Amino acid sequence: MNITELITNPLTVYEGSFCTDDISLEDTWKKSFNKSIEGLKDFSGCEELLKVLENSFNVKFQSNRNHLVSALNTGNASELLGAVLMTQTWIKKFSSLPQVLLSDGLYYFMTPKGEVLQVNSNKKTALTPTEKFDLFHKQPQKFEFSTLIKHYYEEICELYIKDNMISSLKTAQTSMINMDPRDAKWFARRGLLLKSIGEFSLALSDLKRFLSFYSYEEAPAAVKNALIELQGLKATESFNNYSIH
């Protein structure tokens, strides 16, 4: 997965975000999703874009934790998912980069011309100059496309951890590594996960890869402890018996 793929094929970001053992995307649904995205061209601003997304997927975007693309089938999805969909659709039509803002747990879509709209189906109009001033006074987090996707994955990984969806967590972590191998924290995260599920050899490889970016002294305590345990296992003849390949 890379940025070009995410722009040219919006489904790519969602396919890489979960394991099919946990969530199923039927081929017909995938075709319908891509068809809906490709057909979203009848808009000129952020207000119209939000409306066409709602109509195309028959969904409402709310302030909640339904971040996964499967939430579109429930009719109630999160502002974050809406912000990602709005960004992908905008880029495909205009080839220009909007921004997404995050303040007090709420997401806002900002066009390159400076129009700002909360990604919420109950908020139908763009912010007034006074509302924009108040928003920017709070110094919101700002996400362009690549950082927005990383933020999206951070959020869904939190959900997977909370719900103990290990396979999807591993899949999402791997997608992040493939997208940006220089973001070393994902090697540490996946390495610790692999250790917890008994894939010791692969875990050790990931944690060593993390240390190719940071010194041992800079590593978090969890990484140091895991390395000590894994290297101790490797020194024994029974190491391969514990490994799952």
Side-chain angles (χ1 to χ4, degrees), residues 67-206:
H67 301 325
L68 292 174
V69 70
S70 56
L72 295 176
N73 289 334
T74 71
N76 183 28
S78 70
E79 290 186 6
L80 174 55
L81 178 57
V84 175
L85 287 166
M86 288 182 73
T87 301
Q88 291 174 314
T89 309
W90 185 278
I91 292 172
K92 285 183 71 67
K93 178 172 181 178
F94 296 114
S95 299
S96 62
L97 290 174
Q99 284 188 326
V100 170
L101 314 177
L102 171 61
S103 178
D104 297 329
L106 305 176
Y107 290 87
Y108 300 83
F109 182 85
M110 185 169 71
T111 72
K113 292 183 179 180
E115 288 183 296
V116 180
L117 176 74
Q118 184 182 338
V119 188
N120 188 295
S121 295
N122 296 322
K123 309 291 185 181
K124 296 295 187 182
T125 58
L127 270 60
T128 65
T130 299
E131 290 171 330
K132 284 173 58 177
F133 176 84
D134 291 340
L135 174 62
F136 282 101
H137 183 69
K138 297 177 182 178
Q139 297 183 318
Q141 284 183 267
K142 297 181 180 180
F143 303 103
E144 293 192 352
F145 189 62
S146 60
T147 54
L148 176 64
I149 299 305
K150 290 183 179 182
H151 173 69
Y152 174 76
Y153 270 74
E154 292 272 6
E155 290 293 307
I156 61 173
C157 282
E158 284 189 17
L159 294 178
Y160 294 148
I161 292 170
K162 179 181 177 182
D163 295 338
N164 199 35
M165 296 172 67
I166 300 302
S167 296
S168 286
L169 178 60
K170 179 181 173 183
T171 297
Q173 290 173 339
T174 300
S175 292
M176 280 293 92
I177 289 171
N178 292 338
M179 187 176 104
D180 186 2
R182 298 167 297 178
D183 193 348
K185 67 176 177 287
W186 290 100
F187 284 106
R189 291 173 176 176
R190 189 176 68 176
L192 293 172
L193 175 67
L194 291 171
K195 176 180 176 294
S196 74
I197 60 177
E199 297 187 27
F200 299 132
S201 182
L202 295 175
L204 183 60
S205 177
D206 270 359

Side-chain angles (χ1 to χ4, degrees), residues 54-68:
E54 292 172 346
N55 293 334
S56 179
F57 291 106
N58 192 28
V59 66
K60 298 294 183 184
F61 298 103
Q62 311 284 350
S63 178
N64 59 44
R65 302 288 289 173
N66 294 338
H67 301 325
L68 292 174

